[in-house]
Amino acid sequence: MTAMSRRKGYRFENDICNELRLCLGTIVEQPIKRVLDQYREGGLGDIVIPPFVIECKRYANKPEPPSEWWDQVWDAGKKSGLFPILIYKFDRRPIHCMVALYMLNDDYPRHKNYKVDINWDTLMMVMREHLNG
């Protein structure tokens, strides 16, 4: 990974933290910040807001997110016992989010292949519902 792509990823993670602070406000009891230990210890995710672990990906252009991105956040969710969320953005396209179906409804099985792509506003609604109980 080049220094430029690392900086791009770092900026995107910080932008997502700022957006999460704006959208979730006071319903989050802890500071929203990047997990700095993620580079030393694998499987932590980029941002942790219990009950969520979030992986952020920023890429120039792809037709769809690579399966390895979902695998990474799924493994972090299993390791931490938190809901996995993938937030990704390609150049000149809006932010997209991928979540496990069981996050939307407990009746769905907890299976890695059962996931759904949603937009940012829908993710914020779902996260608020979980945080408000």
Side-chain angles (χ1 to χ4, degrees):
M1 177 182 292
T2 67
M4 190 168 136
S5 61
R6 277 193 304 275
R7 282 192 303 273
K8 188 177 186 178
Y10 167 81
R11 278 193 310 272
F12 186 59
E13 291 170 14
N14 278 331
D15 290 346
I16 293 299
C17 284
N18 290 333
E19 288 297 315
L20 289 166
R21 283 185 208 104
L22 285 172
C23 294
L24 300 177
T26 59
I27 60 174
V28 177
E29 296 176 5
Q30 68 182 47
I32 298 174
K33 59 185 180 180
R34 295 173 57 243
V35 176
L36 299 178
D37 289 338
Q38 66 180 307
Y39 296 105
R40 286 184 292 239
E41 180 184 340
L44 296 179
D46 295 326
I47 303 165
V48 174
I49 306 169
F52 313 107
V53 60
I54 301 169
E55 188 66 37
C56 301
K57 299 292 184 184
R58 179 76 169 81
Y59 206 83
N61 203 4
K62 287 199 173 292
E64 59 185 52
S67 60
E68 295 82 27
W69 293 359
W70 179 248
D71 294 344
Q72 184 179 2
V73 73
W74 178 265
D75 293 342
K78 279 184 72 173
K79 180 177 181 177
S80 62
L82 303 173
F83 291 114
I85 299 173
L86 171 63
I87 299 175
Y88 63 97
K89 180 170 180 13
F90 300 126
D91 288 352
R92 295 172 294 286
R93 290 168 55 192
I95 292 173
H96 283 270
C97 312
M98 188 176 291
V99 299
L101 275 176
Y102 73 86
M103 184 174 155
L104 304 177
N105 185 326
D106 285 336
D107 292 337
Y108 288 110
R110 292 178 181 241
H111 191 280
K112 181 166 69 171
N113 292 332
Y114 295 163
K115 60 191 182 289
V116 64
D117 202 44
I118 59 177
N119 65 32
W120 178 262
D121 292 337
T122 304
L123 177 65
M124 292 302 99
M125 179 193 68
V126 170
M127 289 179 77
R128 278 190 217 100
E129 290 292 319
H130 279 280
L131 289 167
N132 285 326

